[in-house]
DNA sequence: ATCAAATAGTATAAAAACAGTACTCTTTAT
DNA sequence: ATAAAGAGTACTGTTTTTATACTATTTGAT
């Protein structure tokens, strides 16, 4: 079963929570409260999203996270990439991290590329806005 | 990292091997030899593919597997489904096997459906033929 | 009939990935 | 100075994946 991690699922929940709040700046604790998700989990997700600039973070007392792009501009592809790492359908696709044991003798080396491209563009064309409607 | 299982990758290797052989009927052992993959692995893949009628199996002495569809008619979606199970991007998507702990209070219940649909159609539109060319 | 070749189905053990949590460090408003 | 809040990292238990093994069934050949 092809699937995204649970954390990616949480990421969507958290991001959607932003759109349902009047405050632009929300702390991890506040978001945990809103989403009813465990606070450490929410904190972890937000750190990952911040690293890829999907949310903006402000450190220090009174800090928190904010969403400064419109949600129609945030694709599922970038959320998944931020949380689960690069989208690579097999280990022998272009840009995959590890490499494959059979590379030397393999009959389908690189053949998954078209699949990977298809997958990637499918995920790029779904935005957060599509998931809240 | 979104990915298909290793077995799905092997499945493609094995299916491609069919197209490079003169014999229509090949045993698991013969395919293992052709693909240089370990025989138990090849056997396992073929069993799964046979169960979903992607290959046809003939039991008994002198038996083996054959491919009776043109490879242009075999989509990656069906291979992945046969080997890895249904394509369900999260556990709370329509048609997923298990169900989710947060179903009761979740803000994005079913929201991954559009993603799942996009993914599925992406995989349906790539055939084995696209991977051998 | 018997044997051997071959697939079907199930079970097992080791390895890898994931999920959840905890802890320390740095930044910043008061 | 202090406390609030994010950044970064590390750890542990659980789950999934991977690879293999074993038994049962089918079928052609002797
Ligand atoms: S199976 Fe990885 S290079 Fe082919
Ligand atoms: S996280 Fe599963 S129903 Fe929402």
């Amino acid at each position: 079963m092809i699937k995204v991690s649970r954390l990616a699922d949480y990421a969507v929940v958290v991001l959607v929570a932003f759109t349902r709040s009047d405050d632009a700046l929300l702390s991890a604790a506040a978001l945990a409260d809103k989403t009813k998700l465990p606070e450490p989990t929410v904190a972890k997700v937000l750190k990952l999203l911040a690293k890829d600039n999907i949310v903006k973070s402000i450190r220090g007392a009174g800090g928190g996270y904010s969403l400064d792009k419109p949600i129609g501009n945030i694709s599922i592809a970038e959320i998944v990439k931020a949380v689960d790492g690069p989208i690579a359908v097999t280990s022998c696709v272009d840009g995959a991290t590890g490499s494959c044991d059979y590379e030397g003798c393999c009959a389908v080396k690189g053949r998954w590329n078209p699949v990977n491209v298809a997958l990637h563009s499918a995920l790029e064309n779904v935005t957060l806005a599509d998931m809240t409607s």
Side-chain angles (χ1 to χ4, degrees), chain A:
Chain A
M1 170 160 78
I2 283 194
K3 63 179 201 309
V4 300
S5 76
R6 201 175 251 242
L7 223 50
D9 193 356
Y10 295 154
V12 172
V13 178
V14 168
L15 288 170
V16 167
F18 270 103
T19 70
R20 305 212 172 140
S21 165
D22 297 328
D23 302 317
L25 191 65
L26 290 164
S27 71
L31 283 163
D33 191 52
K34 274 185 185 297
T35 56
K36 313 286 184 220
L37 292 173
E39 198 257 318
T41 303
V42 173
K44 190 176 189 175
V45 166
L46 286 165
K47 283 176 217 174
L48 289 166
L49 294 174
K51 193 142 53 177
D52 274 33
N53 293 111
I54 293 169
V55 296
K56 203 175 79 185
S57 70
I58 295 177
R59 300 179 66 161
Y65 296 91
S66 65
L67 197 59
D68 47 10
K69 299 193 243 187
I71 57 167
N73 282 5
I74 303 176
S75 73
I76 300 306
E78 61 186 307
I79 297 174
V80 168
K81 180 172 169 303
V83 173
D84 290 351
I87 295 169
V89 91
T90 65
S91 44
C92 35
V93 110
D94 284 348
T97 45
S99 60
C100 171
D101 290 346
Y102 295 93
E103 274 181 322
C105 58
C106 176
V108 292
K109 184 170 162 54
R111 300 302 189 180
W112 283 92
N113 283 349
V115 178
N116 209 48
V117 168
L119 198 84
H120 202 275
S121 72
L123 294 184
E124 293 233 285
N125 289 322
V126 183
T127 72
L128 252 192
D130 297 322
M131 299 182 81
T132 60
S133 58

